[in-house]
Amino acid sequence: MIRIFKIIATLEGISALILFFVAMPLKYIWHNPEYIRPTGMAHGVLFTVYIAFATILKYEMNWTWKKYIIICLASIPPFGTFVMERKYFSSTANS
């Protein structure tokens, strides 16, 4: 389950970066809104799945509320899921 969550976290982070640094500049700077809808939809679905998996893992892995909230909040800023994955789920942090 952790492996799937790590994949979802990575995909969610990539979708956020594409949305913020590709689709939104295309829309607001170059007036090309074509990529906002599919990118935003993919990001929204991945964000929802990320939070759902984090919630499942919170109870399955007996995480503290602090760890759970930090992991959920990591999905908000760009690069947050990448930092979270390295901090909490790297091979040395699995204890």
Side-chain angles (χ1 to χ4, degrees):
M1 189 80 131
I2 292 287
R3 193 179 94 162
I4 295 169
F5 182 67
K6 288 170 70 173
I7 292 168
I8 291 167
T10 300
L11 292 174
E12 196 278 337
I14 291 169
S15 73
L17 293 175
I18 292 171
L19 181 63
F20 295 149
F21 297 114
V22 176
M24 290 178 77
L26 281 171
K27 179 179 180 180
Y28 294 109
I29 297 171
W30 292 286
H31 308 289
N32 183 358
E34 179 177 344
Y35 298 103
I36 285 288
R37 179 171 243 153
T39 308
M41 178 64 77
H43 175 64
V45 168
L46 287 165
F47 173 80
T48 303
V49 172
Y50 175 90
I51 297 297
F53 263 76
T55 303
I56 291 166
L57 284 171
K58 188 250 184 280
Y59 294 104
E60 190 174 283
M61 305 293 292
N62 201 26
W63 289 347
T64 64
W65 279 102
K66 180 182 176 183
K67 181 176 181 177
Y68 170 70
I69 290 168
I70 290 169
I71 287 171
C72 288
L73 290 176
S75 65
I76 296 172
F79 304 104
T81 57
F82 304 121
V83 173
M84 176 279 310
E85 192 275 330
R86 176 165 251 139
K87 180 176 181 176
Y88 288 107
F89 300 106
S90 68
S91 58
T92 58
N94 285 332
S95 55

